[in-house]
Amino acid sequence: MRFFLTLWLVFSNLLLYAKEISLEFLKSQPAGYARDFYIWYFINQDSVSIKEAKEAYELVFKKSQRIEKAMQDKGAPHELPKDIYCKNLLLEKLISSDAECIFMGLKFSSVWQMESKMAKKLADKLINTEFASLGKQIELLKSVQELKPAKRLEVLFSAGSKNVGAILSGLNYQQKLELLDSVPVPENALLNAMNGNDIVLNRTIGNLILDSRFKYIKQALDKVEVSKSDSNTFFLLGINAIMQKDQGYANRAFNYFKKSENTTNDPFMQDRALWWQYLVSKDRQYLKTLSQSGFVDIFSITANQILNTTPKFSLITDFKSSAKPYKLDIKDPFAWQILRTKISGLKDKAYEDEVALLYHQETFPHLIYFLNREYRYKHNYFIFAYDEPKLFENTHQKALAYAVARQESNLLPALVSTSYALGMMQIMPFNVEPFAKSMGLKNITLFDMFDPKIALKFGNFYLKELEREFKNPLFVAYAYNGGPGFLRRTLAKNQLFLKDREYEPWLSMELLAYEESRFYGMKVLANYVIYSQMLGKKVDVQTLLNDTLKFQNKEKK
């Protein structure tokens, strides 16, 4: 879950510091994101001295801006990690730094604005170091800028996919527009760059395809046949063909979706590509193939609903519980980290014996963690862990809450993310106090988010708030992940979820700009359908998704 409020400083001292953490406690815990969260919390305590804060800082597993901000607010002088220090240097100071610091902190958006003389000096400084490739990229960008617009892109896209990817990804939005959206893009040079299959270039091109502008590069992509790429880039090239709508677009899109299917082992990505092969070809044979999928996703579910067939995927919804509980404090993130490390290091019978001890009601999510690793997600586990029957007003609420929890944490109670999202519902720390206040709860601390029953209350509260505004479960999922502001801005453009546009609403689900939320929404929706079914309520996917079509297609007017 991402931002509900915009600042980290909206805690009351009473809430934030209701639990005292000691330096000795921190030193006794294993390194990792959980301890980093506790260190961040520790540094923010008023009772912690600057000396103690600096000692705690030395324990940090992954230095981050949040930790640095806490140290700054504490007034604790310390040496910043070199990468953070270099990224925050003013350009004038960065240029006079060593080659490694320049490599860490330089942005191509700054090079774009730099005078050629200064850029040459910078490139010369790098050229005889291990960062010589950056020096050559600086020279390339400045030489490209000196050319006439019609020649710029020919030279750039002929410079190798890694160079193209590094430069394009490093420019800001306006600079990309100036470079790419003023003249046609040379097709052969673009094709050669794309067939280099550079991960950075692929990601950048994918973002451009999903943007409402950059028509020239989209047109050029539609006129070439990329043969070497990754599954997601092939898929987005298919989406681009659909959006261009040139003659024969359905065949071009189909071919890319086929390539997408054939270049991945991920069952979700395979099913997604198969679904789109069906959409553009209208050939129900692809639906039949998809209906045989052993993986639960929105595509295999919908295929079976359309064909009125019984899914081939199997659901595991419960386990036989041992009478003897595993000795694990499920609310302690360190206990789970230690156990996970211990079991992961075992082999054969020792591993099996230890995992077998997790067959208990309280530790079913932990059991599923290891079963998923063992069987590579070949089984589909859907359980109602830590259920609180009186919490939910209806089956819809319960299905949606568990659908989100399954995607956020796989129902593990004591998770801490890299951004310090907490617990089974991955509540952000700055949301805890306002949520508690709105629910009339007192004496709630951040650490209560590791209690799964409390976490469910907070998650359900937030979901109800989002549902009042966004109505549809798909939109609620987008907002839970990307933040309500993100979704409001997205919908306000009136470019997605259009009535009477071909392939809707599936097309808009693929055009959502933020990739994490794009996939998150699809996966939560599939979870929601399954959990609803388990609660005795059938959800028709097509009907549910058609309710998202909010806006008129301007092209139809």
Side-chain angles (χ1 to χ4, degrees):
M1 185 180 72
R2 296 179 78 218
F3 293 167
F4 178 68
L5 300 173
T6 56
L7 299 173
W8 274 82
L9 303 177
V10 287
F11 305 109
S12 71
N13 288 338
L14 179 64
L15 173 65
L16 183 58
Y17 305 130
K19 179 175 179 177
E20 289 292 326
I21 299 295
S22 70
L23 188 59
E24 289 69 28
F25 171 81
L26 294 175
K27 289 179 178 179
S28 69
Q29 303 304 328
Y33 293 116
R35 190 171 72 169
D36 284 358
F37 161 68
Y38 277 76
I39 290 170
W40 169 80
Y41 180 96
F42 174 79
I43 293 170
N44 275 297
Q45 291 178 152
D46 290 337
S47 59
V48 170
S49 68
I50 290 177
K51 180 177 180 296
E52 290 172 321
K54 292 174 73 173
E55 279 193 66
Y57 180 83
E58 294 303 315
L59 301 173
V60 172
F61 168 69
K62 181 71 173 178
K63 300 294 195 296
S64 68
Q65 293 289 356
R66 293 182 183 88
I67 295 282
E68 299 305 329
K69 180 67 165 58
M71 291 293 284
Q72 181 182 335
D73 292 343
K74 177 64 69 175
H78 65 289
E79 184 176 347
L80 288 171
K82 189 168 185 178
D83 60 333
I84 294 177
Y85 170 78
C86 296
K87 287 175 183 176
N88 285 288
L89 278 180
L90 294 175
L91 183 60
E92 292 77 9
K93 289 189 175 182
L94 179 64
I95 291 172
S96 62
S97 301
D98 62 55
E100 183 182 45
C101 191
I102 293 171
F103 177 79
M104 290 175 169
L106 186 67
K107 300 175 183 176
F108 281 106
S109 55
S110 298
V111 176
W112 179 277
Q113 298 170 328
M114 200 180 288
E115 291 184 2
S116 296
K117 186 177 180 180
M118 182 181 291
K120 185 178 187 311
K121 181 180 178 182
L122 192 57
D124 289 344
K125 191 170 185 177
L126 295 166
I127 214 69
N128 292 319
T129 73
E130 60 183 301
F131 310 107
S133 60
L134 175 59
K136 293 177 181 177
Q137 289 166 353
I138 292 170
E139 292 177 337
L140 171 63
L141 178 55
K142 297 315 290 185
S143 66
V144 163
Q145 283 183 270
E146 293 172 357
L147 300 171
K148 293 181 179 180
K151 188 66 176 174
R152 284 181 175 182
L153 298 180
E154 181 75 41
V155 172
L156 177 61
F157 282 107
S158 299
S161 59
K162 288 189 179 297
N163 291 327
V164 181
I167 290 173
L168 288 184
S169 66
L171 299 179
N172 64 36
Y173 188 79
Q174 289 302 319
Q175 291 164 350
K176 287 189 182 79
L177 280 175
E178 183 178 340
L179 181 63
L180 298 172
D181 215 32
S182 57
V183 294
V185 175
E187 296 163 19
N188 288 336
L190 174 62
L191 178 60
N192 288 333
M194 289 298 298
N195 280 335
N197 194 18
D198 176 67
I199 187 172
V200 178
L201 179 58
N202 288 346
R203 186 171 61 245
T204 303
I205 291 296
N207 290 335
L208 296 177
I209 287 172
L210 297 173
D211 196 281
S212 60
R213 302 173 78 172
F214 301 100
K215 66 176 183 178
Y216 289 119
I217 196 163
K218 293 176 186 177
Q219 290 170 356
L221 286 168
D222 194 43
K223 292 176 181 177
V224 300
E225 185 67 28
V226 178
S227 59
K228 297 177 182 178
S229 197
D230 60 75
S231 178
N232 195 51
T233 304
F234 277 137
F235 184 89
L236 291 175
L237 288 168
I239 294 295
N240 182 63
I242 288 172
M243 295 300 291
Q244 295 307 303
K245 293 183 179 178
D246 286 345
Q247 186 176 3
Y249 76 89
N251 286 334
R252 287 194 301 281
F254 178 89
N255 290 336
Y256 277 128
F257 295 142
K258 191 63 169 177
K259 289 178 181 179
S260 177
E261 178 197 0
N262 292 336
T263 50
T264 182
N265 293 319
D266 183 334
F268 173 85
M269 299 295 280
Q270 289 175 336
D271 287 356
R272 177 188 181 214
L274 270 170
W275 173 251
W276 275 92
Q277 288 171 62
Y278 158 69
L279 286 182
V280 298
S281 71
K282 305 296 190 292
D283 186 342
R284 289 170 75 90
Q285 184 58 47
Y286 296 103
L287 269 189
K288 292 176 182 177
T289 302
L290 185 52
S291 71
Q292 301 298 303
S293 174
F295 189 74
V296 172
D297 53 48
I298 202 63
F299 314 107
S300 59
I301 291 172
T302 308
N304 278 286
Q305 287 188 352
I306 293 173
L307 295 172
N308 196 26
T309 51
T310 302
K312 295 298 181 182
F313 54 71
S314 61
L315 303 178
I316 298 176
T317 60
D318 202 1
F319 302 94
K320 185 177 180 180
S321 181
S322 168
K324 186 178 180 181
Y326 194 96
K327 293 181 180 180
L328 172 69
D329 182 354
I330 64 168
K331 302 175 187 178
D332 182 352
F334 298 115
W336 167 232
Q337 182 179 345
I338 292 167
L339 178 66
R340 187 178 68 237
T341 302
K342 172 189 172 183
I343 295 180
S344 298
L346 299 176
K347 293 182 179 180
D348 304 327
K349 190 174 185 303
Y351 174 88
E352 293 172 3
D353 289 347
E354 199 71 28
V355 170
L357 296 174
L358 294 171
Y359 279 85
H360 187 272
Q361 197 74 36
E362 289 290 287
T363 52
F364 283 163
H366 308 80
L367 170 66
I368 290 171
Y369 171 85
F370 290 106
L371 293 178
N372 275 331
R373 292 185 66 192
E374 183 176 350
Y375 295 110
R376 302 291 180 184
Y377 293 87
K378 290 181 181 178
H379 301 311
N380 304 285
Y381 300 99
F382 285 81
I383 63 173
F384 288 107
Y386 317 114
D387 190 7
E388 189 70 52
K390 295 181 180 179
L391 174 61
F392 304 105
E393 299 168 15
N394 49 53
T395 57
H396 159 72
Q397 270 189 16
K398 185 172 182 177
L400 185 57
Y402 275 95
V404 167
R406 187 176 187 269
Q407 186 58 32
E408 289 285 348
S409 66
N410 261 322
L411 280 64
L412 289 165
L415 285 190
V416 179
S417 77
T418 57
S419 59
Y420 304 161
L422 306 173
M424 189 167 97
M425 299 300 290
Q426 291 289 276
I427 305 296
M428 293 300 291
F430 49 70
N431 281 337
V432 173
E433 182 181 14
F435 286 4
K437 186 176 181 181
S438 296
M439 289 187 284
L441 299 177
K442 297 181 179 180
N443 301 319
I444 293 291
T445 75
L446 301 184
F447 305 96
D448 287 319
M449 297 305 102
F450 299 136
D451 182 326
K453 296 195 174 184
I454 294 177
L456 273 171
K457 284 183 181 178
F458 275 69
N460 188 50
F461 166 80
Y462 189 32
L463 287 168
K464 288 194 292 183
E465 289 289 302
L466 294 173
E467 194 165 32
R468 288 188 187 98
E469 179 176 359
F470 298 113
K471 313 302 181 188
N472 192 280
L474 179 64
F475 289 166
V476 171
Y478 288 154
Y480 196 95
N481 177 257
F486 154 75
L487 185 56
R488 289 186 199 109
R489 291 189 297 273
T490 297
L491 296 179
K493 296 175 183 177
N494 292 1
Q495 295 173 347
L496 299 181
F497 300 98
L498 305 180
K499 298 176 182 178
D500 301 321
R501 182 166 69 174
E502 194 173 15
Y503 307 119
E504 288 288 6
W506 299 95
L507 182 58
S508 287
M509 291 166 66
E510 298 294 353
L511 292 175
L512 196 76
Y514 184 45
E515 181 176 273
E516 182 183 315
S517 293
R518 192 187 321 143
F519 292 142
Y520 183 95
M522 297 175 192
K523 293 176 180 181
V524 166
L525 201 60
N527 293 346
Y528 172 72
V529 173
I530 296 299
Y531 275 121
S532 295
Q533 175 184 307
M534 291 169 61
L535 293 167
K537 177 185 176 184
K538 182 180 178 181
V539 175
D540 184 79
V541 174
Q542 295 282 57
T543 301
L544 185 67
L545 288 179
N546 284 338
D547 287 339
T548 65
L549 300 180
K550 301 168 68 68
F551 307 108
Q552 293 294 330
N553 183 3
K554 294 178 181 178
E555 295 179 4
K556 286 280 185 178
K557 291 184 178 179

